[in-house]
Amino acid sequence: MPITHTDIEHLAKLSRLQLTVQEISQLTNELANILDYVKKVNELASKVTSQSELTAPALRADQVSGFMQNDQLIVADKADNNKLIKVPPVFGQDK
Amino acid sequence: MSQFIDLSISQLQAGLKKSEWSAVDITQAYLDRIAKLDSKLKAYLQVTTTLALDQAKVVDRKIAQGKKLGSLYGIPVAIKDVLMTKDIFTTAASKILKNYLPPYNATAVERLLAADAIILGKTNCDEFAMGASGENSSYQITHNPWDAKRVPGGSSSGSAAAVAAAECRVSLGSDTAGSIRQPASFCGLVGVKPTYGRVSRYGLIAMASSFDTVGPLAPTVKEAAQVLQVIAGYDSCDATSQDQKVPDYVKLLEQSPKKLRLGVAREFFSPGLDNKVATIVKQALAVIQKLGHQVIEVSLPNISLGVATYYIITPAEVSANLARYDGIRYGQAVPSQNLYEFYTKTRGQFLGSEVKRRIILGTYVLSAGYYDAYYRKAVLAREAIKHDFKKVFEQVDVVLGPTTPTVAFALGEKTTDPLAMYLADINTVPANIAGIPAISIPCGLSNGLPVGLQLIGPAWSEGLLLQLSAAYETARGPLPLATVN
């Protein structure tokens, strides 16, 4: 099923991206080409039949430890004197 | 500067030990060269002049006081602007991070500093490391020192151009689909993509977390090994860092590799490969064979689908990793009346077109109704490619082929066709998909432009790849350097 302008607009909403009309049009064409190319992965996917064949890198143990540098992560001009970050209102917004 | 331009790490340090020159002399000479060349080359986004000279003075004091020195003491390095540098602007070449000051150093940077390297500045790259030419930077376009009308390659465009133009001695880049190896090939350098988990990703601005790696670009194999020696090794700050012993890469170079079985994968010599590049790479293979190694034709039947696999999984990971750039905690923002508009306007205005393209594509392949058709299939396809390499490394020790299908292409040549740009990585992306190490080493010139030979090995075989590369480099003999005035 070809990708449409409406699809791109919906994806833009999901990804919180404001796109111009020109960008929507361009992305519609470009994504159609890219998706047409990448769908060939279906050829490979059929050769791996079992989920158990999936490999992943070993991760370190998920141990919780304290983080002492909170202050450093708050960029000065984004926060007020109490180190609270102010954001625009969430409720009552029009989408 | 001319006295330093051709001197290797070892030669620079030999002069420092004998007090023939100081670290400040070397640093000032490189800074002068950047001042002379970079307005045209545009490799650097930021030159940290004062910091570099301060670091050089510290090194000179340590030398004078007979204190212990790190292995890269006095050596000028440049850092790709996707690696965090404490109190030095880090932008990922994106407008959304304009004026962003990281509160910490990436582990790779921290290790270079601990080794007494001198950081000259942050280099240009494709925005958030997304690109294969350097043309996706939101700030400037870097030029290839070999031909200013051509791309240096990407995404580590500035890191490659800076080394090739002797605006630093070595640099750090990142490689997610070939972003160290491809610009190394285009600029006549050695570029190393390590095994996934070999070098910490802590402080590397994440693009595709299951593919991203950090590695060196250098004029010679030994110098690439010297940098890798410093940055490799376990880091508890990176959950995917592997606690695998780091061999003495530099010492390994003192010995020639044992007799090896070298695989030449026929899929790397596909119809899209430039004839002249093919000839030069085959000549390089002949040189290597004369060193006493056995060359065997092998097949990696699924690697031609590597780009397709990659361009489903990577945009998926990009769409998640770049969700944090919303203007709230850091970065530029567009003031708005409500939170939704704040997000959409900020991201819409300050993210570049390739970044948006990948976010949209990634959101699509992860969305309900398409996840099974695309993302899940790509994850399975990734396993098939890993399996190809596993089978091949039962037959051979190393796989060789051209790093890229062509030499450096012209600026603007592929910017209107995203898919054509993606296909520039067709030979490099398989190693990222499999998580295995690969090196690009210069093997000749085609119409005056560098050609790269790629060596790929099984996981943790960086030492063997460096050894074989060094042996080839000696047998090959010197190649001309880029002439930049």
Side-chain angles (χ1 to χ4, degrees):
Chain A
M1 195 189 303
I3 195 160
T4 65
H5 284 74
T6 310
D7 291 329
I8 299 292
E9 283 165 357
H10 177 61
L11 293 168
K13 272 195 193 132
L14 291 178
S15 9
R16 299 297 188 261
L17 275 176
Q18 186 180 69
L19 298 175
T20 63
V21 167
Q22 190 188 2
E23 282 175 325
I24 291 171
S25 183
Q26 192 169 338
L27 282 166
T28 306
N29 291 334
E30 286 170 353
L31 252 68
N33 282 341
I34 295 169
L35 290 168
D36 190 53
Y37 179 81
V38 300
K39 71 180 185 217
K40 58 177 77 179
V41 294
N42 285 315
E43 296 170 30
L44 282 182
S46 57
K47 296 179 187 177
V48 179
T49 51
S50 162
Q51 280 291 119
S52 68
E53 292 183 54
L54 294 184
T55 57
L59 301 177
R60 66 166 154 71
D62 191 13
Q63 288 163 343
V64 176
S65 59
F67 183 76
M68 298 297 127
Q69 286 93 31
N70 289 329
D71 281 359
Q72 294 171 25
L73 294 185
I74 296 175
V75 176
D77 62 353
K78 300 282 189 186
D80 67 8
N81 290 337
N82 295 316
K83 298 285 175 79
L84 297 173
I85 296 174
K86 197 171 173 183
V87 301
V90 177
F91 299 114
Q93 58 185 329
D94 291 325
K95 285 191 190 176
Chain B
M1 174 66 199
S2 55
Q3 70 181 127
F4 298 126
I5 195 170
D6 292 327
L7 297 185
S8 67
I9 290 174
S10 303
Q11 288 167 330
L12 287 169
Q13 289 177 340
L16 284 169
K17 273 190 208 136
K18 289 187 243 171
S19 302
E20 285 176 25
W21 46 70
S22 65
V24 168
D25 290 336
I26 298 170
T27 302
Q28 189 62 62
Y30 271 93
L31 290 170
D32 290 345
R33 186 161 171 89
I34 294 169
K36 186 181 167 194
L37 297 181
D38 210 59
S39 57
K40 292 203 176 123
L41 194 64
K42 298 192 191 300
Y44 281 87
L45 286 175
Q46 199 188 164
V47 182
T48 49
T49 302
T50 307
L51 182 69
L53 288 168
D54 286 345
Q55 289 170 349
K57 286 172 193 162
V58 168
V59 169
D60 283 334
R61 254 196 316 274
K62 278 180 155 183
I63 295 172
Q65 293 166 0
K67 290 196 171 163
K68 190 168 159 39
L69 293 159
S71 63
L72 291 176
Y73 74 92
I75 302 305
V77 306
I79 309 290
K80 184 178 181 181
D81 208 26
V82 290
L83 284 156
M84 305 272 259
T85 42
K86 189 174 190 302
D87 300 330
I88 302 172
F89 292 123
T90 298
T91 67
S94 179
K95 288 288 165 67
I96 208 162
L97 285 179
K98 188 178 175 187
N99 296 329
Y100 173 65
L101 279 177
Y104 63 94
N105 283 317
T107 296
V109 172
E110 198 64 53
R111 289 180 181 182
L112 288 182
L113 289 169
D116 291 318
I118 311 293
I119 295 180
L120 297 182
K122 307 301 291 297
T123 50
N124 195 24
C125 55
D126 286 297
E127 187 181 0
F128 286 106
M130 297 185 210
S133 67
E135 293 166 295
N136 290 332
S137 169
S138 288
Y139 290 93
Q140 62 197 32
I141 293 178
T142 304
H143 298 256
N144 191 317
W146 291 83
D147 180 342
K149 296 196 185 72
R150 292 180 185 262
V151 303
S155 59
S156 307
S157 48
S159 287
V163 177
E167 286 187 331
C168 63
R169 187 62 199 173
V170 292
S171 65
L172 283 191
S174 68
D175 191 312
T176 304
S179 290
I180 287 174
R181 291 163 287 154
Q182 188 247 37
S185 178
F186 282 4
C187 291
L189 304 173
V190 176
V192 181
K193 176 226 169 283
T195 306
Y196 183 84
R198 174 81 286 176
V199 177
S200 172
R201 290 183 301 110
Y202 182 71
L204 172 68
I205 293 177
M207 197 248 282
S209 307
S210 74
F211 293 110
D212 290 339
T213 60
V214 175
L217 293 100
T220 64
V221 174
K222 183 177 174 184
E223 291 169 291
Q226 286 170 297
V227 177
L228 185 63
Q229 193 72 56
V230 166
I231 62 175
Y234 177 68
D235 178 20
S236 61
C237 292
D238 173 359
T240 58
S241 176
Q242 299 299 308
D243 195 2
Q244 189 85 12
K245 187 173 184 302
V246 181
D248 188 337
Y249 296 126
V250 181
K251 204 168 166 64
L252 279 172
L253 301 186
E254 292 167 13
Q255 313 146 25
S256 292
K258 60 179 183 9
K259 188 167 167 194
L260 297 170
R261 301 162 302 165
L262 305 178
V264 177
R266 63 177 80 98
E267 289 81 9
F268 283 136
F269 291 83
S270 58
L273 178 62
D274 177 82
N275 287 335
K276 195 86 194 285
V277 168
T279 302
I280 290 169
V281 166
K282 285 175 184 169
Q283 286 167 354
L285 294 174
V287 168
I288 293 181
Q289 193 169 13
K290 281 203 186 105
L291 296 174
H293 305 295
Q294 187 188 7
V295 174
I296 304 164
E297 190 180 280
V298 296
S299 177
L300 292 161
N302 298 307
I303 59 162
S304 55
L305 299 176
V307 169
T309 304
Y310 177 84
Y311 276 101
I312 293 174
I313 301 177
T314 288
E317 296 187 7
V318 159
S319 70
N321 277 327
L322 269 71
R324 69 194 69 180
Y325 301 105
D326 56 12
I328 298 285
R329 288 154 297 164
Y330 41 72
Q332 297 215 86
V334 176
S336 301
Q337 294 303 308
N338 62 62
L339 190 61
Y340 178 80
E341 270 191 17
F342 188 94
Y343 287 156
T344 57
K345 285 182 176 172
T346 292
R347 289 158 63 78
Q349 184 168 328
F350 293 120
L351 293 176
S353 55
E354 180 60 36
V355 172
K356 288 184 202 171
R357 188 176 296 120
R358 294 197 195 192
I359 290 173
I360 294 285
L361 179 55
T363 306
Y364 180 85
V365 302
L366 288 175
S367 62
Y370 298 107
Y371 175 91
D372 284 333
Y374 289 98
Y375 183 78
R376 216 177 70 77
K377 292 273 166 70
V379 167
L380 293 173
R382 184 176 189 168
E383 294 304 311
I385 291 173
K386 281 185 185 176
H387 185 71
D388 270 9
F389 277 107
K390 191 168 169 239
K391 294 289 294 175
V392 147
F393 287 129
E394 288 168 7
Q395 307 164 48
V396 299
D397 302 299
V398 176
V399 169
L400 294 98
T403 306
T404 53
T406 66
V407 293
F409 43 88
L411 289 162
E413 186 178 317
K414 295 184 197 278
T415 48
T416 55
D417 186 349
L419 196 49
M421 189 71 82
Y422 296 165
L423 287 166
D425 287 335
I426 193 161
N427 289 357
T428 48
V429 79
N432 298 88
I433 291 172
I436 53 181
I439 290 179
S440 181
I441 174 167
C443 63
L445 296 178
S446 169
N447 296 330
L449 293 167
V451 174
L453 171 70
Q454 179 174 233
L455 295 80
I456 308 173
W460 315 112
S461 65
E462 288 85 348
L464 177 64
L465 296 180
L466 287 162
Q467 234 182 9
L468 181 59
S469 299
Y472 165 68
E473 189 182 60
T474 304
R476 178 201 73 198
L479 284 176
L481 300 169
T483 314
V484 191
N485 295 305

